[in-house]
Amino acid sequence: MDFTVTEFDPSTTNDLYELFAPAWRANRDFAEMHEHVLRGGEYLDRFGQGTSTPEPAGQYQWRKDAAFAMDYCSDLVDLRVGNLFRTPPARTWDDSPYAEFIAAFVNDVDGAGTTMDAFMRRALREYYVNGVDIVVDKTAAGPAAAPVTLADERSLAIRPTLTALTPLERLDWACDAAGRYCWVRYDLGAEPAVDETAAPGPRQYLTLTADQWRLYRSSGGASPQSAVAAGPMGLGVVPVVSFYYGESIRPDWRKVPLSLLTRIVPLARAMLNLVSQGQLDLYMAIGVLAALGVEAEQLPTELSPMCWLALPEGAAVQHIRPAVEHVAEKRQWLSLMTEAMLRMGKVYVPLGENQRRAGSGVQVQAERTDLDNEMAATAGAAEQVERDVIRLAVSRHEGRLIPHEQIGYSVEYNRQYVLAGVREILDQARGFMDLSVTAAVPDLARVFLRRVLDQLLKKDDPRYKAIAEQIRQGDLVASPPSAE
């Protein structure tokens, strides 16, 4: 691949990136919340910051060292990914004229042995956190090779590959009125070191347009220099499929994703700070013992539980403890924030005063219906993304854009979600059976039994099909044996 020096700096970012990157980084951090992020204090506000009397450095360091996250960001993502991949997606392409290529591709989508299942499961996590662009690229030729034709690429084993890149790697882009990329540029990171004793290579950037790719290499140091190589694609479209939980409706914010965590992370950050304040309040509320009628030099230098303490006659020990009502108030606010976070995540757990309100189960079931509908919509979106990705992969393999109807690829994601515990499902099934209407609607009784089965076993369990067949064929209206 021939590179030429360029004066263009591929690391430049547009205004939208600069505006949203801090929020995207916060979404990523709260989705994982590694310890060093907590200890660094990036999301922990310092009292009096920006004033002439900021919080003492020692106290702020103590709060950073004691910080912990109690939000549900990671749990809300895991709940959805786990349910959507409770069983592997079902794919068919037997009748496709490109069946041989597709069969090889879905078993290795990135040239490193990653299956389509593994790739999409990881992409789904990114989908919930910040959204993800799936780039249909091609493996690079060796340094001595210079493919010119499609036949050259085939002989050099150059093949389509997938790369998942988040908005934090997407530095600059432009869209048409329909929100489709006109062009887009990604930061691919530094070339990996060839050996443990070698340094990483130059940083790489990839620009994709409707008819061309450009790969930049940028050296670091005091005087950075960039080089670029380019080549045609001939598809007439930018080979990128966006997989977003949502997208801004503002026309000046094209391709700005809305994630599951967009509204939740600011609440999680507020909880982190409120917990830290409560920790400090508790620390300051530790009781103090005051000894009356005793000289200071007569007091012991250390006290511990179950110790002996002798004081002069007439001396008294008094326990001084500050008020803690403000600590209880913070705890109430944390409960409210927790409820709000679960509501935003379409998962409702009754807390505090709402316990009685949710006792009938109506509101709980409504929340679960919203979540079920959301995940079903995500399953449909993932299916469309896969079809679009396969189309682009086949098109890049063939060197021309092939219509959807000629691809012959279909995929179906799981739509049987487990959002209730076994006990609740059993109670619902028992309540239905107690209505004594099984004889009138035996198929509905089978639906309840299938729900119990779906809760207990996954579809790929070897016992699942046999039990499902027993439910299908079972005589649910047989008369009970007569008593003798």
Side-chain angles (χ1 to χ4, degrees), residues 12-319:
T12 56
T13 58
N14 66 20
D15 292 341
L16 286 179
Y17 184 92
E18 294 299 321
L19 178 63
F20 286 99
W24 293 336
R25 279 191 289 268
N27 290 348
R28 180 192 59 192
D29 288 341
F30 274 91
E32 297 185 349
M33 195 46 75
H34 295 284
E35 185 178 14
H36 73 272
V37 177
L38 284 170
R39 302 296 168 255
E42 181 178 354
Y43 303 106
L44 198 64
D45 298 332
R46 185 176 184 180
F47 304 145
Q49 182 72 38
T51 70
S52 59
T53 56
E55 178 181 16
Q59 178 176 289
Y60 184 49
Q61 185 62 50
W62 178 87
R63 292 201 297 121
K64 289 193 290 186
D65 292 342
F68 64 90
M70 58 179 294
D71 60 77
Y72 287 92
C73 294
S74 177
D75 305 85
L76 292 173
V77 172
D78 290 342
L79 170 67
R80 289 161 165 80
V81 175
N83 267 283
L84 284 162
F85 273 89
R86 188 167 182 267
T87 57
R91 301 178 177 90
T92 57
W93 60 82
D94 293 343
D95 297 330
S96 171
Y98 311 101
E100 183 178 354
F101 167 79
I102 294 174
F105 183 76
V106 297
N107 283 304
D108 181 6
V109 299
D110 60 357
T114 303
T115 65
M116 182 66 85
D117 274 355
F119 181 88
M120 287 300 293
R121 187 181 183 103
R122 180 179 178 86
L124 189 61
R125 292 195 62 84
E126 300 284 8
Y127 160 91
Y128 284 119
V129 175
N130 273 324
V132 63
D133 280 354
I134 301 177
V135 176
V136 185
D137 201 1
K138 276 191 173 181
T139 53
V148 177
T149 67
L150 186 61
D152 293 338
E153 290 189 351
R154 301 278 176 86
S155 66
L156 295 169
I158 297 175
R159 46 153 293 183
T161 59
L162 301 185
T163 304
L165 297 165
T166 74
L168 285 168
E169 286 85 55
R170 183 193 55 178
L171 304 184
D172 201 357
W173 67 95
C175 297
D176 60 19
R180 296 169 299 197
Y181 284 128
C182 298
W183 57 267
V184 58
R185 186 171 73 255
Y186 300 98
D187 180 353
L188 303 182
E191 290 184 359
V194 296
D195 191 78
E196 62 180 343
T197 59
R203 201 164 190 88
Q204 299 183 100
Y205 302 86
L206 176 67
T207 295
L208 297 169
T209 72
D211 55 10
Q212 188 185 58
W213 58 264
R214 303 183 199 114
L215 182 64
Y216 296 89
R217 285 180 175 171
S218 182
S219 61
S223 302
Q225 188 179 57
S226 296
V228 62
M233 286 186 295
L235 299 185
V237 296
V238 178
V240 175
V241 180
S242 295
F243 190 23
Y244 297 165
Y245 181 83
E247 193 170 334
S248 175
I249 61 174
R250 289 185 51 162
D252 53 337
W253 287 0
R254 300 289 188 188
K255 287 292 185 182
V256 171
L258 301 176
S259 82
L260 172 66
L261 304 183
T262 295
R263 294 177 60 219
I264 293 176
V265 160
L267 188 59
R269 179 172 181 169
M271 290 177 67
L272 177 69
N273 279 275
L274 192 58
V275 168
S276 181
Q277 294 167 26
Q279 286 176 302
L280 184 60
D281 288 343
L282 288 172
Y283 183 76
M284 295 173 66
I286 294 175
V288 177
L289 291 176
L292 307 179
V294 183
E295 297 296 330
E297 58 270 13
Q298 294 179 281
L299 292 174
T301 57
E302 294 183 4
L303 284 176
S304 64
M306 300 303 293
C307 67
W308 291 92
L309 180 63
L311 294 175
E313 184 177 355
V317 176
Q318 182 177 337
H319 192 207

